[in-house]
Amino acid sequence: MSAVAQEGVPRIASPLALRAVTLRNPIVVSPMCQYSAVNGGAVDGVAGEWHRVHLGRFAMGGAGLVFVEATAVTEQGRITPGDLGLWDDRQIPGLRAIATMLAEFGAVPGIQLGHAGRKAASQRPWQGHGPLGAADIARGEPPWPVVSARPLPVAEGWPTPRELDRDDLAALVEAWRAAALRALDAGFAVAELHCAHGYLLHQFLSPLSNRRTDGYGGDFEGRCRFPLEVAAAVRAAWPADRPLFVRISATDWVEGGWTLEDSVAFSRALAGIGIDVIDCSSGGMVGVSATAAAVPRHPGFQVPFAETIRREAGVATMAVGLILDGPQAEAILRDGRADLVAVGREALADPNWPLRARQQLTGAGDFAGWPEQAGWWLSRRARTLDHKTD
C-alpha cells in the first residue's frame, strides 16, 4: 500500500495504491444492507435498479472505493429476505452492471462476501428485526434453517442453529471461493470478507458463540481456524494484483468475549496469508443488532482499534464509526491512525460527503473532483452567494 502525495492536497483527497488498484482517495463507503433484492425471478438475491441508484450516487459523490452490501455466499447465509447473493451465476449480471457503473464514475467497485450463520432468517429492521414468523410467512417470506459453530441461538426466542460439521465447513469454504470468482467475473476490483457483527465467521472467532471441542473451537487457534481457511481460499482465488479486505469486530464489548488483543493476533495471521486491509468495526455478538452491547459511542470511537492493529499487527487498516467530517478524517490519516476511512450513515445523509469533506479543508470554492455537470452549477451558485457577477 502506498499513498500518492500531492502538494497542497489533503490526505483525504490524495490517491492511494492497493496492489495494482489505485483509489482516487482513501474515503470508502461501507457496505450497507438494503434488503431490497426482491425481483420475483427464478433466483433470489439479484441486484436491481434500487442498488444501481443507491450506489451510483456515492461514486458520483467522490468516494474512492464503494462497497456493495453484504452479499450472501449461500442462499442459507442471507441475513434477511431481499439480501444480495452470489451463490448462483444468474446473480452476476446485475452486479456486473453495478461494478461497471461505479468504475465509470471514478470509484473502485468493491463487494463484501458473508454468511449470517445463526443471525440468518431474520426480519428486515423496519419489519421488526426479529426472527421470521407468521407475518413474514403471510408475505411469502418464510424462514429457513440456520447454522452456526454451535447450537446456541443468537437470543431468546430465536431458532437454535444446527452445528456445522467438517463436511459443512469444507462446503462453505468452497462457497466463499466460488462467490469470489463470481465477484471477479462481475468486475469487482476489491473484495471483503465479513468477519464481524456476530455473523458466521465472527461466530467461530468469539468464545461467546464457539464452544466447540474439536479442531475448530476451544483455544484461540482453533476458533480462528475456519475464518483463516476461508480467507486463504479466497486469497488464492482472488487475483494477486487485487486487494482483499477483512472486516472484523475488534472487540465484542463483553467480558469473556473476543478482545482487541485477539484481533491483533488474528490480523497478523490474516496479513500472513495476504490480506491487505483490516476493516476495524466492533460489536454485534450479543443480541441481534450490531449495537446490542453497551458500547461507549462518540465520534471516532472505533479509531483506536484501527490504530492499534495497524501498529501492532503491521497491516493496513480502515477506520469506521462516527467519522463525521473532513477535518476529523484528515487527522486520522495524517496522524497515521489508519490508512483509509469509511463512512456509512454520513454518506446516506450526504452522498457528496467526500467532496464536501475536501471543501471543508480547502475552501467552499474548491470544486475539484465534482462531476462537471454539477460542479459548474455549484461554482456559479458560490459566486452568486459571494455577490459576484458572472
Side-chain angles (χ1 to χ4, degrees):
M1 169 177 293
S2 60
V4 182
Q6 296 180 347
E7 186 176 353
V9 177
R11 291 287 299 275
I12 60 170
S14 298
L16 181 69
L18 299 167
R19 296 191 182 237
V21 175
T22 297
L23 313 185
R24 60 185 169 186
N25 61 57
I27 298 176
V28 180
V29 175
S30 288
M32 290 178 282
C33 288
Q34 297 298 292
Y35 316 100
S36 300
V38 179
N39 50 54
V43 62
D44 290 332
V46 175
E49 288 304 299
W50 173 268
H51 302 90
R52 285 172 53 83
V53 174
H54 162 68
L55 294 162
R57 55 186 181 160
F58 301 136
M60 293 180 68
L65 169 60
V66 177
F67 271 112
V68 172
E69 67 194 71
T71 302
V73 299
T74 71
E75 187 171 16
Q76 192 179 50
R78 292 171 297 154
I79 306 166
T80 76
D83 277 0
L84 287 179
L86 263 179
W87 66 81
D88 190 295
D89 287 350
R90 290 171 291 181
Q91 294 158 334
I92 295 173
L95 287 168
R96 182 183 292 126
I98 289 172
T100 300
M101 173 269 299
L102 292 174
E104 286 179 353
F105 287 117
V108 170
I111 190 165
Q112 185 185 72
L113 303 175
H115 189 297
R118 68 182 189 176
K119 293 178 87 170
S122 65
Q123 298 168 324
R124 297 173 180 86
W126 56 84
Q127 292 173 340
H129 218 180
L132 291 172
D136 309 289
I137 294 171
R139 279 196 296 267
E141 296 178 340
W144 54 90
V146 299
V147 297
S148 188
R150 287 287 289 155
L152 301 171
V154 64
E156 185 177 354
W158 283 71
T160 298
R162 179 179 66 81
E163 180 175 328
L164 292 162
D165 63 26
R166 288 182 177 241
D167 289 341
D168 295 325
L169 297 180
L172 283 170
V173 170
E174 173 57 24
W176 251 285
R177 190 192 71 84
L181 291 175
R182 292 188 182 101
L184 181 64
D185 189 1
F188 288 95
V190 177
E192 177 174 85
L193 305 181
H194 200 346
C195 229
H197 301 165
Y199 297 120
L200 183 62
L201 296 181
H202 187 190
Q203 290 162 27
F204 272 84
L205 292 174
S206 176
L208 298 176
S209 51
N210 185 352
R211 301 176 188 172
R212 297 173 73 106
T213 57
D214 64 0
Y216 289 94
D219 60 11
F220 173 83
E221 288 73 19
R223 287 183 281 111
C224 291
R225 182 178 176 185
F226 176 57
L228 288 175
E229 287 180 351
V230 170
V234 174
R235 180 69 273 180
W238 199 243
D241 62 351
R242 300 193 189 195
L244 183 60
F245 290 33
V246 173
R247 170 165 276 199
I248 65 169
S249 282
T251 174
D252 285 340
W253 295 108
V254 177
E255 185 176 354
W258 183 259
T259 68
L260 179 56
E261 291 74 19
D262 292 331
S263 289
V264 169
F266 182 54
S267 296
R268 285 196 197 104
L270 290 169
I273 60 176
I275 300 304
D276 299 282
V277 177
I278 306 300
D279 178 1
C280 300
S281 189
S282 67
M285 180 51 62
V286 178
V288 179
S289 75
T291 59
V295 179
R297 293 178 173 274
H298 53 80
F301 72 104
Q302 294 178 146
V303 173
F305 303 144
E307 181 179 17
T308 299
I309 291 170
R310 184 178 191 266
R311 180 182 66 246
E312 298 186 12
V315 63
T317 60
M318 182 160 73
V320 63
L322 290 181
I323 297 173
L324 303 177
D325 57 32
Q328 180 193 10
E330 181 73 6
I332 291 167
L333 298 174
R334 183 192 63 232
D335 296 342
R337 306 186 73 189
D339 300 275
L340 303 99
V341 292
V343 291
R345 294 175 180 86
E346 293 304 310
L348 285 176
D350 181 3
N352 297 318
W353 192 95
L355 297 170
R356 292 189 182 277
R358 174 184 173 129
Q359 285 182 318
Q360 289 169 339
L361 297 168
T362 60
D366 178 7
F367 289 95
W370 287 79
E372 291 179 348
Q373 300 92 328
W376 181 85
W377 284 102
L378 291 172
S379 62
R380 183 175 181 179
R381 172 179 175 270
R383 291 195 300 270
T384 302
L385 292 174
D386 285 342
H387 306 291
K388 296 178 181 178
T389 58
D390 292 325

